[in-house]
């Protein structure tokens, strides 16, 4: 097995009284794609958001356990959440570009890091857009509003925006769920390229997609991690019946 | 690009961000300003009224007075004159050379004023000033009653029409249109009442005084209508759809549902709207100044002139000497108005809204 | 038989409620029409731009317009930033349902229902007699400059009165900034303050604008708070410093219609002045209401 990037130990999360994640233990390998699958409401998004402490924003969320990235517990009192999020980027289910120009969307991250020099910004914007495989489509209209792009383009722009701050880990919450097949395949291709440099965790409802893009798969059910392993193994030879039922679509 | 640096404790060490810290403290501080203002209003309106209750030194004078009276055999009414003779500065209202004397005079006046508060005669500018609040209070009440008797039915019925009977497109026009009335400055409504309504009603009813409680009340209802309308409409629209559906399912038709289900379910909200409308009218100044005639008469006749509490402050504050008894009495009236509107609002909020909540949450 | 009876009752109820609506709309229309008809003969460019003449029996109302504009400008400078920041606190920093947030909201609503004359008293007692007189004693050796009614104190008094208007509008529009955008910004490693500056505030510009317009509309029409904080009956010159008194449209109407010796003679001037004030507030409110309904549509 590859080197481990993120190690989750006994992670439990409550929303108020409601238990959303129950005692999750999981090891996410470095520079690989890990897919999170499971029925709606089982806690995939909640789990994903614990990895960059997005759940801190929800007042009712209470968390216990550890999340170690490179052996460093990100829930430690001395961790700077702002800097953590710079290293653990996130792409949301609904594409959410700012109502600014395409250029400014990608430059947003560098700018908040204090980079204001035109040339440097230009370069970051260009490389980020290229890596997100959208450069050719937008290079002539960088000053146009990002809201004028198509849904698929917007989502790739959001990926470019995430790449612009140069994270180590990228979290994706159903990044292609609202997209047409063509845009979806573009994003999948992109994920394939990105995993050479980034550790990627992706939530998906689409079994084929999970099978296509991921190296490892974790199956969640009702806030519990049921099974985790190589995608190939999970999809061809799951050890737990629930997993098999879910994957083959025989789920209640 | 990503050279895959490792996560280390140093690179992610908690950072103190000064701008972040200052922004939060600053914003929080400013937010407290609204509370501070309310407290300051309380403090400063009362602060200017409180000297009225300083009468300690009046006793000394009273004793001396007694002696003088016996000596000179004066009638009790000329009590004030004696003091004036003692220090003529009062007449000119210039700063007295001897602060002690002025203070004493002030306190004597205060004492007299306090005794007259509980009467019906408002006669602040005279040799023997009287500060009876009852005629002002009843005048205000009379105008308020007239205004609410007009505004409440109109506002509530119009709100019922808007929320229950009007089609959506009409509703989206009606609400903002009636809210525009709230944007009419009260001085404009007062001017309209003074110039147009007063003559119109006088021709219609043929009463003697052109400006009176009725004209003032009708004019003030125009200020109260938008408040009552808007809050009632909100209350009616927030009655859960399940209520209406249940009623309709039981075979009640549209208007029956609106009248017997929606309207009663929204009573607390409607009550709150009337309270706030009352508060608005009670403290309304410009309309009162311009349309009520401003005579402090104590009478039940709606067609007599009246003088309201707010109008009294508005008309007299600019003329009084800073810090004298009259000044303090006007601030006392202000304090009463403030307490009244504060109480109305608090009542509307805590009691009514709580009930409304409980009702909709299924008790 | 029973059914027709029910139907008649229904028609009656719809009729009465509909009639109430028409009465209210009718009153609005009548006021507008009467003021327009009464004022239009005198209403002219000349009237708007010239000074009063012959003891205010002739001439225009320029000083009153100037004073009104100055008043609402100074008022906005105070009320808009403070209102916006308070709204920021309520939407971004305060924990929903914390007692602090609840108390602040209660204070704001109280501020909105306190009679406007009380603000006048407060302006007199606090700004003029406490702050102003205090400044005179501390810096000017007791020379009377700030301790008397003037445009600064009047404007600040007015800004307290219009603060709730700003807060409510801005808060409403801040709530329309989608949570997703805030999250996007934070997920990129922006701090809260950066997110506010770059995402929340730009997203609520329309609300700040709406709040300002509604506040100006309110402030331009209020008279009671100005009665003893700085509005003047007549001034031959325009206010040139912050400690000058000023003329203002609403007060001008009040004075001309109730205190002047020859009320009848100046009737056209009074109507025209009222027309100016009504148009001003009406247009401002119209813009504000339209903007606000757009924000509300976005909310849904
Ligand atoms: N802010 C919140 N407050 C309270 N409960 C929440 C909150 N967010 C999520 N939940 C609950 O936690 C559980 C897990 O939610 P989560 O969004 O993680 O599910 P999911 O697996 O991502 O579902 P989906 O596939 O539909 O996105 C759900 O039951 C949800 O109702
Ligand atoms: Mg989800």
């Amino acid at each position: 097995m590859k080197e481990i990037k993120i190690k989750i130990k006994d992670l439990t999360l409550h929303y108020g009284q409601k238990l959303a994640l129950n005692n999750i233990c999981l090891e996410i390998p470095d520079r690989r794609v890990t897919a999170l699958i499971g029925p709606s409401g089982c806690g995939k998004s909640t789990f994903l958001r614990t990895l960059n402490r997005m759940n801190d924003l929800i007042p009712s969320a209470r968390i216990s356990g550890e999340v170690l990235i490179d052996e460093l517990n990100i829930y430690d009192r001395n961790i700077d959440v702002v800097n953590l999020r710079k290293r653990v980027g996130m792409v949301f289910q609904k594409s959410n570009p700012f109502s600014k120009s395409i250029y400014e969307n990608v430059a947003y991250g560098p700018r908040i890091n204090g980079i204001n020099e035109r040339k440097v910004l230009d370069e970051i914007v260009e490389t980020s857009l290229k890596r997100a495989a959208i450069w050719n489509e937008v290079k002539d209209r960088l000053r146009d509003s990002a809201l004028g792009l198509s849904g698929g383009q917007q989502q790739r722009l959001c990926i470019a925006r995430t790449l612009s701050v140069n994270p180590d880990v990228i979290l994706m919450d159903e990044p292609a769920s609202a997209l047409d097949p063509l845009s979806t395949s573009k994003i999948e291709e992109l994920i394939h390229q990105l995993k050479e440099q980034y550790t990627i965790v992706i939530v998906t409802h689409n079994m084929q997609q999970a099978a296509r893009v991921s190296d490892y798969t974790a199956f969640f059910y009702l806030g519990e991690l049921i099974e985790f392993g190589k995608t190939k193994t999970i999809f061809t030879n799951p050890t737990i019946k629930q997993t098999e039922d879910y994957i083959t679509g025989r789920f209640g | 690009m990503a050279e895959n640096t490792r996560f280390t404790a140093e690179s992610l060490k908690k950072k103190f961000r000064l701008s972040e810290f200052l922004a939060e403290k600053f914003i929080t501080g400013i937010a407290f300003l609204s509370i501070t203002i309310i407290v300051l209003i309380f403090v400063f309106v009362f602060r200017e009224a409180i000297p009225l209750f300083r009468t300690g030194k009046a006793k000394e004078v009273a004793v001396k007075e007694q002696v003088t009276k016996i000596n000179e055999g004066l009638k009790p009414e000329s009590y004030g004159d004696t003091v004036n003779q003692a220090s003529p500065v009062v007449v000119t209202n210039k700063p007295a050379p001897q602060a002690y004397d002025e203070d004493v005079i002030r306190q004597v006046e205060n004492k007299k004023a306090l005794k007259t508060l509980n009467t019906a005669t408002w006669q602040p500018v005279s040799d023997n000033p009287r500060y009876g609040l009852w005629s002002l209070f009843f005048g205000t009440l009379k105008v308020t009653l007239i205004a609410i008797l007009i505004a409440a039915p109109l506002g509530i019925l119009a709100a019922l029409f808007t929320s229950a009977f009007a089609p959506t497109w009409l509703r989206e026009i009606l609400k903002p249109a009636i809210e525009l009335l709230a944007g009419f400055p009260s001085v404009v409504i007062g001017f309209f009442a003074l110039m147009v309504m007063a003559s119109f009603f006088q021709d219609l009813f043929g009463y003697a005084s052109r400006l009176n409680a009725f004209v003032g009340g009708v004019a003030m209802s125009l200020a109260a209508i938008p408040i009552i309308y808007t809050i009632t409409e909100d209350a009616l629209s927030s009655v859960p759809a399940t209520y209406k559906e249940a009623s309709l399912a039981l075979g009640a038709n549209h208007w029956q549902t609106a009248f017997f289900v929606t309207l009663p379910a929204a009573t607390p909200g409607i009550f709150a709207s009337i309270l706030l409308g009352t508060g608005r009218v009670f403290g309304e100044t410009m309309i009162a100044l311009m349309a009520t005639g401003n005579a402090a008469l104590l009478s039940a006749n709606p067609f007599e002139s009246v003088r309201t509490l707010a109008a009294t402050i508005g008309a007299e504050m600019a003329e009084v000497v800073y810090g004298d008894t009259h000044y303090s009495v006007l601030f006392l009236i202000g304090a009463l108005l403030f307490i009244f509107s504060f109480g109305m609002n608090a009542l509307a909020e805590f009691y009514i809204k709580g009930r409304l909540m409980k009702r909709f949450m299924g008790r | 038989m029973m059914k027709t009876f029910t139907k008649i009752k229904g028609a009656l109820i719809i009729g009465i409620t509909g009639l109430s609506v028409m009465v209210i709309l009718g009153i609005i229309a009548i006021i507008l029409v009467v003021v327009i008809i009464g004022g239009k003969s005198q209403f002219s460019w000349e009237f708007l731009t010239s000074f009063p003449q012959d003891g205010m029996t002739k001439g225009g109302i320029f000083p009153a317009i100037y004073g009104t504009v100055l008043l609402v400008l100074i008022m906005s400078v105070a009320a808009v930033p403070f209102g916006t920041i308070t709204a920021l606190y309520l939407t971004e920093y305060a924990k929903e349902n914390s007692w602090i947030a609840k108390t602040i909201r209660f204070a704001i609503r109280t501020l909105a229902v306190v009679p406007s004359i009380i603000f006048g008293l407060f302006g007199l007692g606090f700004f003029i007699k406490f702050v102003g007189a205090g400044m005179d004693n501390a810096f000017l050796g007791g020379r009377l400059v700030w301790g008397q009614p003037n445009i600064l104190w009047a404007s600040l008094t007015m800004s307290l009165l219009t603060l709730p208007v700003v807060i409510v509008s801005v808060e409403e529009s801040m709530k329309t900034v989608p949570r997703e955008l805030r999250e996007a910004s934070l997920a990129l490693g922006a701090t809260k303050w950066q997110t506010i500056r770059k995402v929340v505030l730009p997203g609520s510009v329309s609300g700040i604008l709406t709040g300002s317009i509604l506040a100006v509309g309110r402030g331009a029409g209020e008279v009671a708070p100005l009665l003893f904080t700085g509005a003047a009956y007549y001034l031959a010159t325009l206010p040139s410093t912050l400690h000058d008194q000023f003329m203002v449209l609403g007060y001008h109407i009040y004075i001309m219609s109730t205190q002047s010796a020859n009320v009848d003679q100046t009737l056209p001037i009074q109507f025209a002045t009222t027309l100016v004030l009504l148009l001003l507030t009406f247009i401002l409110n119209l813009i504000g209401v339209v903007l606000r309904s757009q924000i509300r549509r976005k909310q849904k």
Side-chain angles (χ1 to χ4, degrees):
Chain A
M1 207 172 176
K2 266 289 282 190
E3 208 180 312
I4 301 300
K5 184 74 177 173
I6 310 175
K7 199 182 279 174
I8 294 101
K9 281 190 193 161
D10 302 328
L11 185 73
T12 297
L13 188 144
H14 289 86
Y15 287 121
Q17 294 301 311
K18 186 183 172 344
L19 180 66
L21 290 176
N22 188 10
N23 222 2
I24 309 287
C25 295
L26 181 64
E27 297 187 341
I28 294 172
D30 194 18
R31 271 174 280 177
R32 288 288 178 272
V33 178
T34 303
L36 308 179
I37 60 170
S40 190
C42 68
K44 305 180 297 292
S45 300
T46 304
F47 174 73
L48 197 70
R49 291 162 62 93
T50 58
L51 303 184
N52 66 343
R53 293 188 56 175
M54 254 344 202
N55 285 323
D56 289 14
L57 303 176
I58 299 168
S60 68
R62 277 181 300 118
I63 200 160
S64 71
E66 289 183 354
V67 175
L68 306 164
I69 303 186
D70 291 336
E71 303 292 319
L72 181 70
N73 182 10
I74 61 167
Y75 281 92
D76 192 277
R77 276 183 50 237
N78 286 320
I79 291 292
D80 193 83
V81 184
V82 170
N83 284 340
L84 171 74
R85 292 192 186 128
K86 285 179 184 151
R87 310 274 302 267
V88 185
M90 186 166 209
V91 177
F92 296 81
Q93 173 173 9
K94 222 178 111 224
S95 61
N96 52 359
F98 302 121
S99 49
K100 301 173 191 280
S101 69
I102 294 168
Y103 183 96
E104 284 304 325
N105 260 278
V106 184
Y108 186 93
R111 277 193 201 280
I112 57 176
N113 285 326
I115 301 173
N116 280 313
E117 210 180 316
R118 190 88 240 178
K119 267 178 71 186
V120 183
L121 279 179
D122 284 351
E123 202 185 305
I124 295 177
V125 169
E126 185 173 337
T127 31
S128 304
L129 287 170
K130 276 183 176 155
R131 303 188 131 244
I134 188 180
W135 172 250
N136 286 329
E137 289 156 70
V138 299
K139 65 170 183 255
D140 299 324
R141 45 171 178 150
L142 291 175
R143 297 285 153 205
D144 293 0
S145 167
L147 301 178
L149 296 172
S150 76
Q153 289 171 327
Q154 284 190 6
Q155 192 60 297
R156 276 179 287 147
L157 177 68
C158 291
I159 295 176
R161 189 174 64 184
T162 305
L163 297 178
S164 72
V165 288
N166 205 6
D168 302 302
V169 180
I170 300 178
L171 311 173
M172 298 183 168
D173 195 348
E174 304 185 46
S177 70
L179 304 182
D180 60 287
L182 189 69
S183 308
T184 304
S185 72
K186 277 194 177 153
I187 298 224
E188 286 180 12
E189 220 171 280
L190 180 60
I191 293 171
H192 210 74
Q193 286 165 20
L194 292 175
K195 77 172 178 188
E196 306 199 340
Q197 278 147 353
Y198 305 96
T199 304
I200 297 175
V201 186
I202 176 171
V203 173
T204 177
H205 270 291
N206 181 332
M207 291 308 118
Q208 285 83 11
Q209 188 174 64
R212 277 194 304 266
V213 302
S214 70
D215 306 299
Y216 293 86
T217 297
F219 173 60
F220 282 77
Y221 182 58
L222 294 177
E224 313 230 8
L225 176 66
I226 306 296
E227 191 169 356
F228 174 69
K230 284 218 155 108
T231 301
K232 227 187 210 158
T233 323
I234 296 270
F235 275 83
T236 54
N237 199 4
T239 47
I240 295 172
K241 176 122 192 337
Q242 279 165 315
T243 318
E244 190 181 344
D245 287 352
Y246 182 72
I247 287 166
T248 51
R250 254 181 286 138
F251 212 75
Chain B
M1 227 164 122
E3 57 266 10
N4 239 318
T5 42
R6 288 182 64 84
F7 283 56
T8 54
E10 302 90 74
S11 65
L12 287 178
K13 209 169 127 220
K14 198 155 220 158
K15 246 169 122 180
F16 175 75
R17 293 178 173 82
L18 186 66
S19 59
E20 206 65 21
F21 175 81
L22 288 180
E24 174 160 4
K25 292 291 169 254
F26 180 70
I27 291 172
T28 311
I30 297 278
F32 274 92
L33 189 76
S34 333
I35 301 177
T36 316
I37 294 170
I38 291 293
V39 173
L40 283 181
I41 292 179
F42 248 125
V43 170
F44 275 87
V45 173
F46 280 84
R47 196 179 92 121
E48 303 292 312
I50 278 174
L52 184 63
F53 299 96
R54 279 189 16 242
T55 54
K57 286 181 185 151
K59 277 206 192 96
E60 300 170 22
V61 178
V63 175
K64 275 188 222 151
E65 194 63 20
Q66 211 72 42
V67 179
T68 332
K69 234 187 287 174
I70 294 164
N71 286 355
E72 300 182 10
L74 287 172
K75 292 181 294 203
E77 286 90 83
S78 53
Y79 175 93
D81 294 341
T82 320
V83 180
N84 279 353
Q85 280 158 17
S87 60
V89 281
V90 176
V91 183
T92 58
N93 277 322
K94 292 244 170 62
Q98 321 96 310
Y100 174 78
D101 276 10
E102 198 194 20
D103 204 31
V104 170
I105 293 154
R106 168 96 212 266
Q107 295 195 10
V108 171
E109 280 188 11
N110 286 348
K111 193 168 184 195
K112 284 199 289 173
L114 283 176
K115 270 192 205 146
T116 61
L117 283 182
N118 192 16
T119 67
T121 323
W122 178 261
Q123 234 166 42
V125 188
S126 73
D127 289 344
N128 192 11
R130 299 182 68 83
Y131 301 98
L133 294 182
W134 286 112
S135 60
L136 303 183
F137 184 72
F138 277 113
T140 312
L141 224 50
K142 197 157 80 173
V143 176
T144 306
L145 199 67
I146 293 168
I148 293 302
L149 281 180
I150 297 167
L154 269 180
I156 293 167
L157 290 174
L160 188 62
F161 180 84
T162 313
S163 85
F165 304 130
T168 318
W169 64 267
L170 184 59
R171 177 147 104 220
E172 269 167 24
I173 299 173
L174 280 183
K175 250 202 123 172
I178 295 183
E179 278 169 30
L180 274 182
L181 182 58
F184 280 25
S186 51
V187 69
V188 169
I189 297 177
F191 180 76
F192 179 75
L194 174 67
M195 293 299 167
V196 183
M197 272 169 39
S199 309
F200 176 78
F201 284 129
Q202 195 175 30
D203 292 346
L204 196 65
F205 298 111
Y207 45 69
S209 53
R210 206 176 85 93
L211 299 175
N212 54 47
F214 178 72
V215 175
V218 174
M220 280 192 202
S221 73
L222 301 187
I225 283 173
I227 295 177
I228 295 179
Y229 170 83
T230 308
I231 299 173
T232 303
E233 215 277 337
D234 284 348
L236 289 171
S237 324
S238 58
V239 172
T242 49
Y243 271 54
K244 297 172 208 168
E245 279 153 18
S247 160
L248 290 170
L250 287 173
N253 61 31
H254 198 56
W255 72 262
Q256 285 171 325
T257 305
F259 209 74
F260 295 117
V261 177
T262 315
L263 201 58
T267 359
I270 295 171
F271 196 41
S273 79
I274 295 177
L275 281 180
L276 292 175
T278 308
R280 171 79 163 81
V281 172
F282 207 81
E284 174 55 51
T285 309
M286 295 318 292
I287 299 178
L289 273 176
M290 295 169 86
T292 57
N294 287 323
L297 306 173
L298 191 63
S299 131
N301 184 353
F303 299 119
E304 292 275 18
S305 290
V306 292
R307 187 182 191 87
T308 71
L309 293 165
T312 304
I313 303 174
E316 294 171 17
M317 184 56 88
E319 263 105 67
V320 300
V321 177
Y322 171 68
D324 80 352
T325 303
H326 189 183
Y327 174 92
S328 294
V329 172
L330 292 181
F331 266 94
L332 180 69
I333 295 176
L336 292 177
L337 277 181
F338 183 58
I339 293 174
F340 181 83
S341 66
F342 188 87
M344 280 290 191
N345 184 43
L347 193 68
E349 294 230 347
F350 290 125
Y351 173 67
I352 314 296
K353 274 197 184 151
R355 286 243 324 243
L356 196 69
M357 279 302 169
K358 260 187 222 144
R359 205 178 260 228
F360 289 160
M361 308 269 234
R363 255 161 290 212
Chain C
M1 194 61 218
M2 198 59 193
K3 235 183 179 157
T4 45
F5 189 59
T6 311
K7 258 194 192 148
I8 292 172
K9 269 206 284 189
L12 209 64
I13 285 179
I14 296 179
I16 291 175
T17 55
L19 190 70
S20 309
V21 171
M22 290 198 316
V23 168
I24 297 174
L25 293 179
I27 294 169
I28 298 176
I30 290 174
I31 296 180
L32 280 172
V33 168
V34 165
V35 172
I36 289 172
I37 290 178
K40 79 171 188 306
S41 63
Q42 186 73 29
F43 189 82
S44 66
W45 182 247
E46 177 88 27
F47 179 70
L48 297 179
T49 54
S50 59
F51 272 69
Q53 285 153 16
D54 293 347
M56 298 206 290
T57 55
K58 289 204 190 83
I61 51 168
F62 181 68
I65 295 179
Y66 184 87
T68 307
V69 171
L70 205 58
L71 172 87
V72 295
L73 279 182
I74 302 174
M75 173 203 90
S76 306
V77 168
V80 173
F82 279 83
T84 305
I85 292 172
T86 306
L88 254 184
Y89 176 79
L90 289 173
T91 52
E92 306 296 318
Y93 286 96
K95 290 187 191 72
E96 200 56 39
N97 293 327
S98 69
W99 69 268
I100 298 176
K102 275 188 189 158
T103 313
I104 291 178
R105 283 178 203 283
F106 176 70
I108 293 165
R109 283 191 297 260
T110 305
L111 219 47
V113 301
V114 167
S116 50
I117 189 82
I118 302 297
F119 286 95
L121 288 183
F122 178 68
L124 177 63
F126 180 70
F127 288 126
I128 298 173
K129 298 300 180 192
F130 184 73
V131 181
M135 278 161 62
D136 286 345
N137 286 333
F139 306 119
L140 301 168
R143 194 156 58 85
L144 197 61
V145 174
W146 295 102
Q148 50 190 351
N150 64 36
I151 189 155
L152 176 66
W153 301 141
S155 305
L156 290 183
T157 304
M158 199 63 100
S159 73
L160 302 182
L161 185 108
T162 52
L163 196 59
V165 181
V166 179
I167 296 174
V168 169
S169 286
V170 177
E171 197 189 348
E172 202 168 23
S173 83
M174 275 176 183
K175 284 189 177 146
T176 68
V177 175
R179 201 180 55 129
E180 288 81 26
L181 290 189
R182 290 185 175 86
E183 290 193 340
S185 170
L186 292 169
L188 285 169
T191 62
K192 189 170 199 163
W193 177 230
Q194 284 172 327
T195 304
I196 289 172
R197 257 180 25 227
K198 299 192 153 208
V199 176
V200 179
L201 281 178
S204 20
V205 168
S206 64
I208 298 173
L209 194 70
T210 310
S212 314
I213 290 173
L214 290 173
V216 166
R218 176 87 193 278
E222 280 288 348
V223 181
L226 307 178
L227 288 174
F228 26 83
T229 52
Y233 187 97
Y234 173 76
L235 294 169
T237 55
L238 298 175
S240 57
T241 66
L242 284 177
H243 53 77
D244 283 341
Q245 294 210 342
F246 60 104
M247 290 176 71
V248 69
L249 284 169
Y251 189 61
H252 198 63
I253 296 170
Y254 167 62
I255 288 293
M256 297 273 282
S257 62
T258 59
Q259 318 271 304
S260 78
N262 31 22
V263 172
D264 291 336
Q265 197 193 333
T266 61
L267 216 51
I269 294 184
Q270 295 171 33
F271 267 102
T273 312
T274 308
L275 178 60
V276 173
L277 181 60
L278 190 55
L279 280 184
L280 182 71
T281 52
F282 192 79
I283 291 170
L284 285 169
N285 276 296
L286 201 62
I287 299 172
V289 166
V290 169
L291 278 175
R292 194 171 56 188
S293 72
Q294 272 171 2
I295 293 174
R296 287 198 180 144
R297 208 162 297 148
K298 205 157 66 172
Q299 225 165 13
K300 284 169 194 164

